[in-house]
Amino acid sequence: MPTHYVTLKKSDTNFFEYLWGANPNGEHNALPKTQRAIPVKTYNLGTPEESVTFELKNITDTKKPSFFVFASSLIKLNSFVLILLPLLYILTKNFITKNLTDPLAILLAALSAVLLFAGFNIRNDVNDHTSGFDRVNLGTSCKPIQMGWISAHKAARLSLILILISGVLALPVVFLHPQLLWIIVFSFVLFFIGRFTKNNSYKQQHLGEFILFILAGPALVLGYQVAMGAGLDVQAVSFGTLWGFGVLFLIQINNFSHIMTSSQAGIKNTMTQLGFDRAQKFLVLSWVLFLIFWILFHYYFANIYWLIFGSLLLVFCSVPFFKKILNIKSPMGSDLPHIRNKAHKTFLLMGCLFIAEIFWSLGLLLWTNAH
Amino acid sequence: MTYKIYSSQDFPAYLPKLNTLFDDLFSGGKGFRSKLIGLVSVPLAVPPLSQNLLAQTIEFIHNASLLHDDLVDRSPLRRGKKTAWLKYTPEYAVLAGDYLLARVMVNLSAYGNIKLVQYTSEMISDLLEGEWLQDSIIGDYFVNLEQLDLIHNLKTSSLFKWCLRAPFISIQKYDADLHFILNEMGSILGQLFQRSDDLLDYGIRNDEAKAVLGDLKSGYLNSFGCFMARTMNGAQRGQLVKCKSLADVHHCFSDDAEKARVIFTQKVEAFDQLNIKLIDLYNHHLENLDKLLVDDEKNLIHNLRPLTEILYWRRKPRA
């Protein structure tokens, strides 16, 4: 059976129905309900927005994964550490310093953050699908829309529902802690600047990198802090900055791993601006800076053992990463997925060290109280 | 239609060895790219002089890339003969390649179609990027097919795209939709040609009895190698890269020779399936191209339809 394809231009009436999997009202006029239209990759990067060729797949022929695989790849479950670890850290910190005044508020805030994050992750996949980003870049993760497991229309609706529920859950917390409103408003303003301004788009990502640093770091951590009724403090701000820097580093690594396709597509971010050789050095420098921030943070806010042993362990485990990144020879080979993997593992190790620290501090507190 | 690609009168006779080198270079080869120019140009009624210029341009660029490529790869043979860098000197091989590229620019700029000059320069840049990237992954046995496809699109497909688009540009047909389709078709033809060439390296449809495993032995896992390796474990992959013969390659799949041969054949069939999908996509673009052509131009569809048979299956098209 030959594979069926359809090529449509943006100006064609059916274009958006094929791209989204349904028309804006959720109806199927041109594309049968039983079929999914998957955009075909293009190597002709100058014209990604002009015309799109779709491969038509029968939904019944698409291999369905288990619900867990589907859901976890849709919401990007493996990235939840980015919001859950800061929560755990702030929770423990405030528990130890007896600043945890409102358990209900923090429960609602945590649930709200989880749903918001899931919603944004889904939305991000929808944007990558509709903007053409997926068609010009090498696949780095399993994307359910690209696999034909869900239509962009349904994914967008699901993302909206999750974001709305997240908003509803956040409402009582805002009533309980009105200062939180400022952080939410600030975050949303940044988010919309990142999403809709001309300075930041799928082709122009400098501003987006900075906004992600703020949202994933200081804004997230301070949001948790305020939701707990603990008010702002230097430790939370410092932790948020450190965490945001770490997340930004992961984003840079990710951008580095498809530096060639991004450059060819005319996408402007720190990595494509620096170019392959300088980007390697920049990434090493970034992680060195992160290690310095880590040491400073522990010097001020952790006990001496964690400062020494935690830092030594992290530095020691970062050495293979430094070696690997400086030895990458090609912007195209197998080294790139490798380095992304290594960076994620090093970041995860840093997260594990924080968790160990948290439990150590908790254990110490409980032991002291018991004696 | 045959074109006069090389004439010694076009190059300075006082330069030692230049014309002998070019005589050697242009006497071999099937001239497929210039034939493709003819297949596209004739239905479009491109004037014969322009056709000759286009055919000469693509063959000059292709042969310049071969001169440089052979030196980069340290290949001893090209079309069964000693390569230019060995027969003459590496310096002469580089300079002769540069000379051909310079001649291309002289000829095209004299022709006066600035869009053609611009597009040709872009194509040469793509070609060089592809060569550069391919060199950067030598010895990388974990590269994946998607990455190789990107490199081949620059290195191989750029020439095919040019063959399809340049005749339209020469008659000043610049319609964006038309060139979008031609670009996509050129990408696919280049991909199919490269993949078929890579299969030859594993003795598949190797009717010309080319030497096998040349890519693997020079540290390069080609597209079929990549395809086979993606389901291999670390040990099998390690074994694959050390293979010296096709029997060794089969042996990577099983110790039982018959079973190994069956698995290898299944891999080839699966690879063919992947490419049949690509051929379907080519035919889809061909149908869309038909809608954009008028009158005699439609003969172009008839000329382009058999190309996948020739380039991928390496057989004469069915009547």
Side-chain angles (χ1 to χ4, degrees):
Chain A
M1 267 279 282
T3 315
H4 293 287
Y5 298 96
V6 172
T7 300
L8 295 168
K9 285 201 293 178
K10 263 189 177 172
S11 53
D12 290 331
T13 43
N14 296 329
F15 178 82
F16 288 99
E17 186 176 339
Y18 275 81
L19 188 67
W20 286 87
N23 71 18
N25 303 322
E27 293 159 358
H28 293 256
N29 294 333
L31 179 69
K33 251 185 178 173
T34 51
Q35 285 191 328
R36 197 81 80 209
I38 311 294
V40 173
K41 287 233 173 218
T42 181
Y43 298 109
N44 301 305
L45 301 162
T47 54
E49 290 100 352
E50 300 302 324
S51 294
V52 178
T53 300
F54 297 93
E55 181 188 338
L56 297 181
K57 279 186 177 174
N58 285 325
I59 293 176
T60 46
D61 296 343
T62 313
K63 273 186 193 166
K64 283 266 160 62
S66 67
F67 178 75
F68 177 76
V69 172
F70 168 70
S72 59
S73 49
L74 187 67
I75 62 171
K76 309 265 177 294
L77 190 64
N78 55 2
S79 64
F80 272 64
V81 65
L82 299 180
I83 59 159
L84 292 180
L85 199 135
L87 172 68
L88 193 63
Y89 182 84
I90 292 296
L91 200 66
T92 319
K93 174 188 85 72
N94 289 329
F95 179 75
I96 291 169
T97 54
K98 297 190 172 59
N99 275 331
L100 195 62
T101 57
D102 196 342
L104 178 68
I106 188 56
L107 184 71
L108 288 173
L111 269 175
S112 172
V114 164
L115 293 177
L116 188 70
F117 191 63
F120 279 161
N121 279 344
I122 299 174
R123 186 70 218 183
N124 197 39
D125 269 8
V126 173
N127 289 342
D128 284 351
H129 171 80
T130 55
S131 68
F133 188 79
D134 281 340
R135 290 189 305 120
V136 299
N137 254 314
L138 292 172
T140 49
S141 62
C142 173
K143 292 188 167 182
I145 301 175
Q146 285 294 97
M147 304 292 286
W149 297 341
I150 187 170
S151 69
H153 182 261
K154 278 188 184 160
R157 236 180 2 198
L158 183 62
S159 133
L160 186 67
I161 291 168
L162 289 173
I163 292 169
L164 284 176
I165 298 175
S166 154
V168 171
L169 288 175
L171 268 179
V173 189
V174 173
F175 280 119
L176 288 167
H177 304 286
Q179 316 96 292
L180 189 63
L181 188 64
W182 294 110
I183 294 173
I184 292 175
V185 168
F186 174 72
S187 301
F188 268 82
V189 167
L190 274 186
F191 174 76
F192 283 108
I193 289 173
R195 184 79 188 83
F196 295 112
T197 57
K198 278 185 183 169
N199 290 336
N200 189 55
S201 65
Y202 119 84
K203 292 230 170 191
Q204 190 70 253
Q205 300 174 341
H206 285 295
L207 185 64
E209 288 170 11
F210 177 71
I211 290 172
L212 266 166
F213 159 69
I214 298 286
L215 292 182
L220 177 76
V221 170
L222 293 183
Y224 285 145
Q225 176 81 3
V226 173
M228 284 176 209
L232 299 182
D233 66 39
V234 182
Q235 186 175 353
V237 174
S238 308
F239 176 76
T241 309
L242 181 73
W243 191 255
F245 197 88
V247 175
L248 183 62
F249 172 76
L250 288 186
I251 289 162
Q252 304 288 19
I253 282 280
N254 197 44
N255 288 342
F256 179 70
S257 71
H258 37 74
I259 186 169
M260 184 195 139
T261 45
S262 297
S263 300
Q264 285 191 327
I267 295 170
K268 287 191 169 61
N269 54 41
T270 306
M271 294 294 103
T272 58
Q273 295 287 91
L274 287 172
F276 182 72
D277 297 328
R278 279 189 295 171
Q280 279 173 288
K281 294 182 184 94
F282 176 84
L283 288 171
V284 168
L285 190 71
S286 296
W287 192 247
V288 168
L289 268 178
F290 179 85
L291 292 176
I292 293 171
F293 289 156
W294 161 280
I295 291 167
L296 283 175
F297 179 82
H298 282 78
Y299 176 75
Y300 286 110
F301 303 111
N303 81 32
I304 185 79
Y305 302 108
W306 283 108
L307 169 67
I308 295 171
F309 296 116
S311 303
L312 278 178
L313 185 64
L314 195 57
V315 170
F316 180 73
C317 292
S318 299
V319 173
F321 167 74
F322 289 139
K323 270 187 175 169
K324 184 88 198 163
I325 203 155
L326 289 171
N327 282 329
I328 293 181
K329 285 190 292 184
S330 173
M332 206 30 21
S334 61
D335 284 338
L336 295 172
H338 238 132
I339 198 67
R340 204 176 47 237
N341 212 353
K342 228 173 186 74
H344 283 207
K345 279 183 182 161
T346 314
F347 184 86
L348 209 62
L349 171 81
M350 180 272 290
C352 290
L353 280 174
F354 263 124
I355 291 175
E357 256 181 81
I358 288 165
F359 285 114
W360 174 268
S361 311
L362 263 180
L364 210 64
L365 178 77
L366 294 175
W367 191 82
T368 316
N369 286 347
H371 295 84
Chain B
M1 183 136 200
T2 47
Y3 301 108
K4 187 172 144 286
I5 302 298
Y6 165 72
S7 164
S8 57
Q9 286 155 1
D10 295 340
F11 295 92
Y14 55 82
L15 288 179
K17 292 179 185 166
L18 182 70
N19 276 303
T20 337
L21 190 155
F22 284 155
D23 264 332
D24 280 348
L25 187 68
F26 289 102
S27 61
K30 292 184 280 287
F32 178 77
R33 289 160 190 83
S34 53
K35 283 179 189 156
L36 184 52
I37 289 289
L39 290 175
V40 181
S41 299
V42 172
L44 300 180
V46 174
L49 273 177
S50 305
Q51 284 189 38
N52 206 81
L53 173 77
L54 296 177
Q56 196 181 45
T57 299
I58 197 68
E59 289 298 336
F60 276 14
I61 295 171
H62 174 58
N63 280 287
S65 79
L66 296 184
L67 284 171
H68 291 165
D69 208 17
D70 286 339
L71 177 60
V72 170
D73 298 343
R74 305 290 189 271
S75 304
L77 292 173
R78 166 71 61 187
R79 296 161 183 161
K81 290 190 289 189
K82 210 175 190 183
T83 42
W85 71 274
L86 274 178
K87 187 170 177 184
Y88 303 93
T89 61
E91 290 82 355
Y92 278 169
V94 171
L95 294 171
D98 291 346
Y99 207 112
L100 286 176
L101 295 178
R103 176 58 65 186
V104 161
M105 285 305 141
V106 170
N107 292 347
L108 285 182
S109 48
Y111 183 66
N113 183 329
I114 192 71
K115 285 201 191 261
L116 190 59
V117 177
Q118 185 191 351
Y119 176 45
T120 308
S121 313
E122 284 168 6
M123 180 265 275
I124 295 172
S125 308
D126 281 352
L127 185 69
L128 295 176
E129 269 188 48
E131 294 282 359
W132 197 290
L133 286 167
Q134 180 160 311
D135 196 56
S136 75
I137 58 157
I138 293 289
D140 184 347
Y141 295 110
F142 290 87
V143 65
N144 66 42
L145 191 58
E146 211 181 354
Q147 292 170 323
L148 273 189
D149 283 347
L150 268 170
I151 295 174
H152 293 155
N153 184 58
L154 292 166
K155 192 180 84 98
T156 313
S157 299
S158 54
L159 292 162
F160 283 88
K161 284 191 262 189
W162 192 90
C163 290
L164 297 183
R165 289 180 61 193
F168 282 93
I169 295 174
S170 76
I171 55 167
Q172 299 177 13
K173 284 194 96 172
Y174 305 126
D175 177 62
D177 293 339
L178 179 79
H179 283 274
F180 165 78
I181 293 173
L182 294 169
N183 250 339
E184 296 290 307
M185 287 172 64
S187 285
I188 297 170
L189 286 180
Q191 209 87 291
L192 289 171
F193 172 76
Q194 185 65 57
R195 287 181 178 183
S196 171
D197 201 51
D198 291 349
L199 278 169
L200 286 184
D201 207 46
Y202 286 88
I204 309 298
R205 296 189 274 277
N206 189 3
D207 299 333
E208 298 159 41
K210 276 190 177 177
V212 294
L213 301 187
D215 289 339
L216 203 59
K217 286 174 192 168
S218 55
Y220 172 61
L221 194 64
N222 71 25
S223 61
F224 182 61
C226 255
F227 182 80
M228 280 196 299
R230 64 183 183 177
T231 50
M232 284 181 168
N233 58 34
Q236 283 176 312
R237 213 179 261 259
Q239 204 180 334
L240 176 70
V241 301
K242 287 180 199 144
C243 288
K244 297 282 176 243
S245 67
L246 286 176
D248 290 346
V249 174
H250 293 186
H251 192 63
C252 295
F253 298 107
S254 171
D255 291 335
D256 176 349
E258 184 51 30
K259 198 177 164 194
R261 198 189 56 76
V262 170
I263 297 174
F264 180 76
T265 309
Q266 285 169 349
K267 296 276 175 196
V268 176
E269 283 167 3
F271 192 62
D272 283 344
Q273 279 305 317
L274 190 76
N275 294 313
I276 287 171
K277 223 175 141 176
L278 216 50
I279 292 171
D280 288 340
L281 183 57
Y282 176 81
N283 290 331
H284 161 77
H285 287 309
L286 207 56
E287 282 165 26
N288 286 339
L289 178 66
D290 189 32
K291 292 172 197 158
L292 298 175
L293 301 174
V294 289
D295 306 328
D296 286 349
E297 286 179 359
K298 285 192 181 282
N299 289 330
L300 178 59
I301 304 300
H302 174 75
N303 287 353
L304 296 182
R305 196 175 294 283
L307 291 181
T308 52
E309 286 281 309
I310 300 166
L311 291 175
Y312 185 71
W313 299 108
R314 305 230 165 206
R315 62 192 177 204
K316 281 191 178 151
R318 281 162 286 185

